[in-house]
């Protein structure tokens, strides 16, 4: 859970963290958000229960795309193509590409885009937030996120320094 930076309230609700426990995990700025894998894991756990109890298989994401040489294929933002793309990957404000998996000053080395690139990609903050909202709700509809997590995702997106 440390890699996914689980939400404290979710861990407390599940009985995995006592109400008075101290928590230490990395923390990134909204300009270079870590991917909250725990949110997809929560949806997965609900699907696993459905699978065991009702025989309904969980959704399946496309695999990460590979080059003809068998290496991970990266897009123009140096982010892996394909795979399960949470909103901060589908509507990026930073590069999550190759060589970004190490910690530096309490945060993974995720390279934020500058304001000029953000304006080129989205035009306005409102357009960025709408694309992000649509990406989040699409994942809810597909079963990869729970609706209860959309507000937290949007709160992070709203903090992105756009100007």
């Amino acid at each position: 859970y440390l890699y996914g930076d689980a939400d404290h309230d979710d861990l407390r609700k599940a009985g995995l963290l006592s109400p008075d426990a101290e928590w230490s995990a990395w923390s990134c700025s909204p300009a270079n958000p870590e991917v909250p894998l725990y949110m997809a894991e929560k949806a997965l756990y609900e699907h696993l229960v459905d699978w065991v109890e009702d025989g309904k298989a969980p959704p399946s994401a496309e695999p990460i795309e590979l080059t003809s040489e068998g290496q991970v294929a990266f897009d123009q933002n140096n982010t892996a193509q394909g795979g399960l793309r949470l909103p901060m990957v589908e509507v990026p404000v930073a590069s999550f590409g190759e060589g970004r998996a190490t910690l530096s000053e309490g945060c993974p080395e995720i390279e934020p885009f500058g304001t000029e690139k953000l304006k080129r990609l989205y035009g306005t903050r409102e357009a960025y937030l709408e694309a992000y909202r649509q990406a989040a709700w699409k994942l809810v509809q597909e079963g990869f996120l729970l609706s209860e997590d959309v507000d937290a995702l949007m709160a992070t997106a709203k903090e992105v320094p756009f100007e």
Side-chain angles (χ1 to χ4, degrees):
Y1 258 117
L2 180 58
Y3 185 78
D5 196 15
D7 182 73
H8 306 160
D9 292 335
D10 288 335
L11 290 175
R12 285 186 179 94
K13 189 171 31 174
L16 299 173
L17 188 66
S18 67
D20 59 342
E22 292 292 320
W23 178 258
S24 176
W26 60 34
S27 179
C28 300
S29 76
N32 60 337
E34 69 263 35
V35 177
L37 299 176
Y38 78 92
M39 290 182 181
E41 290 170 352
K42 285 173 33 183
L44 171 68
Y45 295 140
E46 288 199 10
H47 287 296
L48 286 175
V49 170
D50 291 343
W51 197 8
V52 169
E53 292 179 351
D54 304 324
K56 182 181 176 194
S60 179
E62 294 296 319
I64 295 285
E65 293 179 23
L66 301 177
T67 66
S68 58
E69 294 83 31
Q71 302 297 315
V72 173
F74 292 95
D75 64 17
Q76 69 276 9
N77 295 319
N78 197 30
T79 299
Q81 297 184 114
L84 177 59
R85 299 175 69 81
L86 294 179
M88 63 286 306
V89 176
E90 186 64 22
V91 185
V93 295
S95 173
F96 296 92
E98 190 172 22
R100 307 285 191 266
T102 59
L103 289 177
S104 175
E105 297 180 22
C107 181
E109 292 183 7
I110 299 168
E111 188 177 320
F113 300 157
T115 54
E116 290 303 314
K117 183 165 185 169
L118 290 175
K119 288 179 182 177
R120 267 194 324 274
L121 288 172
Y122 308 111
T124 65
R125 173 185 296 282
E126 292 75 23
Y128 159 72
L129 291 173
E130 180 58 21
Y132 194 96
R133 184 190 68 72
Q134 288 180 13
W137 281 108
K138 180 177 184 251
L139 290 171
V140 170
Q141 291 171 343
E142 293 173 346
F144 294 111
L145 287 178
L146 301 178
S147 60
E148 67 188 48
D149 290 323
V150 172
D151 286 344
L153 289 167
M154 291 305 300
T156 299
K158 288 175 183 174
E159 292 180 26
V160 170
F162 210 85
E163 283 88 32

